[in-house]
Amino acid sequence: MSQEAVISARGLTMGFGDLILMESLNFDIHSGEIFVILGGSGCGKSTLLKHLVGLYKPMAGKITIAGMVLDPDNDDSFKRILSRIGVMYQGGALFSSMTLGENVALPITEYSNLKGAAVEELVSLKLRQVGLEGFEHHLPEELSGGMKKRAAIARALALNPEILFLDEPSAGLDPISSAELDTLILRLNRTLGTTFVVVTHELSSIFTIAERVIMLDKETKSIIADGDPHELKNASDHPYVRQFFNRQPEMER
Amino acid sequence: MSDSASMTTTPPITIEHTPGQLSLTLSGVLDLRTTPEVLDQLAHIHKPLPKLIRADLSAITGMDDCGALVIFQLRRMAEKHGCELELAGTPAHVRDLLAFLRVDDPPRSAGAKRPRPGIMTRFGMKTIQVWDQSGRHVSFVGEVTVTLLSLLRHPGRLRLGDTVLYMQRVGVDALPIVGLISFLLGLIMAFMSAVQLQQFGANIYVASLVALAMVRELGPIMTAILVAGRSGSAFAAEIGTMKVSEEVDALVTMGFRPAMFLVAPKIIASVLVVPLLAMYSNIFAIAGGLLIGVTTLDLTVNAYMAQTMSTLTIFDINWGLFKSAIFAVLISTVGCFKGYQVRGGAASVGKATTSAVVTGIFLVILVDSILAVILRYWRP
Ligand SMILES: Nc1ncnc2c1ncn2[C@@H]1O[C@H](COP(=O)(O)OP(=O)(O)OP(=O)(O)O)[C@@H](O)[C@H]1O
Ligand SMILES: [Mg+2]
């Protein structure tokens, strides 16, 4: 596996107005890696993800994706970056006026030369991979929370992008679907070399898929751990990190 | 890696058509970029097909789920033309992918496609829907009435802060637009009628015309139309969005009555401020008429105002205010009701908003006509 950094953040500071969430973050995400972002609720994981896909502007620092500086104002480079990434949002963000099939087909018809029946077939293959085959003609409102989540993943997968950003993909899924999702992620990673940037809290999922994790900390506004979760679990010198991986409550002080 | 694949100029498929056998060789990477081309070539193979289709897959170096479409297509071709399909030299990774995608499972039927009903069906559905909706409308109105009546006994239950907020949104924030439009309306009315009345030397009656028309009819109506556009739509959008994001459900389970929590403040605020808005609209329209009267009709300010005063009776003003209050109830109730009906997502909110404005304006005009008839027979 090549060790070139496909995403790198340098001196990334982010926040909203006066609220600073993270200060001068530096990290690299390597090509073909499954990279997991961890941290307590509300520490800024989703916000970091939105910075990495160019939806928010950093307060300071810069982000490079595939050698191009991420700059939403530069149409040309931003388009090229967007063509390489797929994003699944925490809330699903399915288009409520379209059926599931149409949601998934939208990027396929827009960005590939596939036609008619082939698109439909590909859509049902995508939905089959997330266990939603047969729901092509359902509207998002007719789905359960976990089904919406999986549909959103199918849509993010539609073009088999090189980099996939998933915000809490397995939250709200039963253990079996969650494990199947892990298998799917690992598979895409092994066979297509897809790079994954995943926000998740599921310990079992982290230990199954993550090659590298970073843990954000709200108090110090910085990364407090970076590495293989199996090693961090016991060897981290940060008690919070060990607590996190060992699922222990906050110690009394 | 997909980059390098798309650079190669050799097509990922070669086709040899020999009698008795169709030989296909697939090579390179089959993904979203290359597959459309392959599918295209497959679709354009000369018919009829020989008895045997033999596909050599051994040179495929990469394949994703999109590439699997090629296999589907081959199978379909074989089935349709009654030939035999032989996949040769399937590499392990392709076999693995096909197993993962369960290509041998028949695709589960996608359920009934959303039916596109015929015209009669649509007519019937619409009728049932209207019937249904009128039922729901009645029960909504009933619930709101009960809520408002219960407020008479326990006025403390009204959410006062919200009510004041909506009074500001519906009333104060609308002042500029209501003022401007009414002023221009008065101006235009005076201007147009002046042309006619001047011929008879009846200049002074321009004042009567503007005052009476505005206070009795146009003031309340114009205000109602503006309020429907500004606030009726906003009520529908607000409640509709709350409905979509399960906020209304949350209210119910927390023991609040949505009618009390969401609807009552809006209706009460509207009833309080819309008549005031209508008054305000009248004043601006009369000012507009006055401007024309003074500048083009050689009337003095005093004469114009005196004529206005002598034309209007207290009854006219009260009647206008009364109508405005009725319109306010109609618009705010319809706005809230349409918001309540939202199911699903963003598109549904948009529909509800439109419908709130259209229905609101329609009801305003309808009720206005009915009131005009009643007035005609009540005070001949
Ligand atoms: N649009 C916004 N404007 C202002 N503050 C925001 C905005 N979005 C998020 N925040 C704040 O930023 C912080 C981080 O939010 P974020 O959604 O990134 O958390 P998170 O780490 O994804 O949490 P969770 O695990 O609960 O999803 C929170 O304190 C939140 O209040
Ligand atoms: Mg989040």
Side-chain angles (χ1 to χ4, degrees):
Chain A
M1 189 179 306
S2 62
Q3 278 300 301
E4 58 173 315
V6 62
I7 301 177
S8 68
R10 289 287 170 269
L12 178 66
T13 300
M14 57 184 207
F16 300 95
D18 291 335
L19 172 75
I20 292 185
L21 288 173
M22 287 291 146
E23 252 168 346
S24 17
L25 300 182
N26 293 307
F27 59 89
D28 285 322
I29 302 174
H30 304 298
S31 172
E33 192 171 48
I34 300 182
F35 184 86
V36 173
I37 302 174
L38 302 174
S41 182
C43 70
K45 302 178 297 296
S46 299
T47 311
L48 175 59
L49 213 63
K50 289 196 172 173
H51 276 83
L52 291 179
V53 298
L55 287 173
Y56 294 158
K57 264 202 165 156
M59 294 174 127
K62 71 168 186 184
I63 297 166
T64 339
I65 296 187
M68 289 175 279
V69 175
L70 180 65
D71 174 15
D73 297 331
N74 181 339
D75 273 353
D76 188 42
S77 75
F78 193 49
K79 264 221 177 87
R80 265 190 293 160
I81 290 177
L82 288 183
S83 72
R84 291 160 172 250
I85 66 176
V87 188
M88 185 219 114
Y89 296 93
Q90 193 165 6
L94 294 169
F95 302 121
S96 57
S97 56
M98 300 182 187
T99 63
L100 266 202
E102 288 166 347
N103 262 289
V104 179
L106 182 69
I108 299 178
T109 45
E110 193 64 33
Y111 294 109
S112 82
N113 298 323
L114 285 181
K115 302 196 186 62
V119 174
E120 265 172 47
E121 251 170 16
L122 185 55
V123 166
S124 74
L125 273 187
K126 298 284 180 195
L127 290 177
R128 179 181 277 190
Q129 291 178 57
V130 295
L132 282 179
E133 198 185 6
F135 288 93
E136 275 90 337
H137 302 307
H138 283 61
L139 288 170
E141 66 186 271
E142 298 162 347
L143 299 181
S144 76
M147 287 160 84
K148 276 184 210 158
K149 216 129 226 185
R150 284 182 281 157
I153 294 169
R155 191 179 67 181
L157 291 177
L159 299 175
N160 281 332
E162 286 163 54
I163 311 171
L164 262 171
F165 294 89
L166 307 177
D167 196 347
E168 309 217 2
S170 44
L173 295 191
D174 63 283
I176 298 177
S177 311
S178 170
E180 279 171 358
L181 184 60
D182 288 347
T183 319
L184 177 65
I185 292 177
L186 283 172
R187 219 203 123 73
L188 290 170
N189 175 257
R190 299 286 132 80
T191 57
L192 303 179
T194 311
T195 309
F196 280 87
V197 181
V198 186
V199 173
T200 181
H201 298 294
E202 301 254 319
L203 280 179
S204 57
S205 171
I206 295 169
F207 287 122
T208 320
I209 62 172
E211 287 164 41
R212 235 183 90 212
V213 303
I214 59 172
M215 188 176 290
L216 306 181
D217 181 46
K218 201 171 184 169
E219 250 79 277
T220 55
K221 301 185 195 312
S222 62
I223 298 177
I224 52 169
D226 183 341
D228 185 331
H230 297 275
E231 287 165 21
L232 291 174
K233 179 177 180 185
N234 299 314
S236 171
D237 37 54
H238 214 290
Y240 180 79
V241 178
R242 290 200 307 272
Q243 271 172 22
F244 189 101
F245 285 120
N246 291 303
R247 219 165 164 274
Q248 286 162 346
E250 187 90 49
M251 306 284 180
E252 309 254 338
R253 278 176 222 185
Chain B
M1 61 181 184
S2 46
D3 264 339
S4 58
S6 61
M7 297 297 165
T8 53
T9 44
T10 50
I13 181 167
T14 52
I15 300 171
E16 269 176 67
H17 216 146
T18 53
Q21 178 173 336
L22 179 72
S23 309
L24 309 166
T25 315
L26 292 158
S27 59
V29 175
L30 281 180
D31 63 8
L32 204 57
R33 289 172 222 228
T34 51
T35 305
E37 163 83 18
V38 174
L39 291 178
D40 212 38
Q41 293 207 19
L42 284 178
H44 287 102
I45 292 177
H46 296 295
K47 313 281 167 7
L49 298 177
K51 273 272 137 301
L52 179 68
I53 303 178
R54 189 168 185 285
D56 183 1
L57 310 179
S58 58
I60 295 179
T61 54
M63 179 154 139
D64 66 9
D65 46 4
C66 187
L69 294 183
V70 174
I71 309 290
F72 281 127
Q73 170 93 346
L74 286 174
R75 288 200 178 162
R76 223 171 316 133
M77 279 166 64
E79 199 173 319
K80 187 166 162 207
H81 297 278
C83 12
E84 202 174 317
L85 175 66
E86 191 185 316
L87 299 179
T90 317
H93 67 90
V94 172
R95 199 184 308 251
D96 187 38
L97 175 79
L98 296 182
F100 178 73
L101 293 177
R102 304 198 305 275
V103 286
D104 294 324
D105 284 12
R108 201 178 323 156
S109 91
K113 205 159 192 157
R114 306 231 142 228
R116 292 230 173 269
I119 182 152
M120 282 318 275
T121 324
R122 282 214 301 274
F123 182 73
M125 270 166 32
K126 201 80 194 167
T127 314
I128 293 173
Q129 202 183 334
V130 167
W131 182 249
D132 244 31
Q133 203 171 6
S134 63
R136 262 181 286 162
H137 208 155
V138 168
S139 74
F140 179 81
V141 170
E143 193 184 339
V144 170
T145 314
V146 170
T147 306
L148 291 178
L149 287 180
S150 82
L151 273 179
L152 287 181
R153 265 205 281 159
H154 315 277
R157 293 214 185 130
L158 181 67
R159 294 178 55 83
L160 208 60
D162 280 1
T163 312
V164 173
L165 179 75
Y166 285 115
M167 285 170 74
Q168 186 205 329
R169 294 224 185 116
V170 177
V172 181
D173 294 353
L175 287 179
I177 184 71
V178 169
L180 178 69
I181 289 195
S182 306
F183 183 79
L184 291 177
L185 197 65
L187 206 96
I188 295 165
M189 268 200 300
F191 195 72
M192 298 304 289
S193 54
V195 177
Q196 308 297 325
L197 293 176
Q198 247 174 344
Q199 296 173 16
F200 309 102
N203 287 359
I204 190 67
Y205 289 109
V206 167
S208 306
L209 191 142
V210 170
L212 212 55
M214 274 320 280
V215 171
R216 285 266 285 260
E217 283 299 328
L218 292 176
I221 292 229
M222 281 310 294
T223 315
I225 288 176
L226 283 172
V227 169
R230 285 186 77 258
S231 305
S233 57
F235 294 165
E238 184 185 326
I239 296 183
T241 313
M242 291 182 72
K243 194 101 203 209
V244 171
S245 51
E246 301 183 330
E247 289 174 50
V248 174
D249 299 348
L251 280 179
V252 172
T253 47
M254 284 160 81
F256 294 108
R257 295 214 338 248
M260 176 67 86
F261 197 98
L262 295 173
V263 181
K266 295 185 174 71
I267 294 183
I268 291 176
S270 308
V271 172
L272 291 179
V273 296
V274 172
L276 295 180
L277 267 185
M279 281 293 272
Y280 175 84
S281 151
N282 295 340
I283 294 170
F284 268 77
I286 290 171
L290 180 68
L291 182 69
I292 292 293
V294 174
T295 51
T296 67
L297 296 176
D298 299 328
L299 296 175
T300 63
V301 174
N302 274 342
Y304 190 97
M305 288 317 290
Q307 177 67 20
T308 301
M309 296 293 206
S310 69
T311 313
L312 292 177
T313 62
I314 276 295
F315 177 81
D316 293 326
I317 295 174
N318 284 343
W319 183 246
L321 290 181
F322 167 72
K323 283 207 298 195
S324 280
I326 302 274
F327 295 164
V329 173
L330 289 176
I331 293 166
S332 50
T333 316
V334 165
C336 295
F337 176 66
K338 293 293 175 186
Y340 253 82
Q341 300 235 289
V342 167
R343 298 269 179 293
S348 181
V349 176
K351 265 194 224 156
T353 316
T354 309
S355 170
V357 177
V358 173
T359 315
I361 293 178
F362 168 72
L363 283 181
V364 164
I365 304 288
L366 182 72
V367 169
D368 188 55
S369 322
I370 294 173
L371 288 177
V373 173
I374 291 176
L375 186 65
R376 170 78 183 72
Y377 288 103
W378 177 31
R379 294 185 119 215

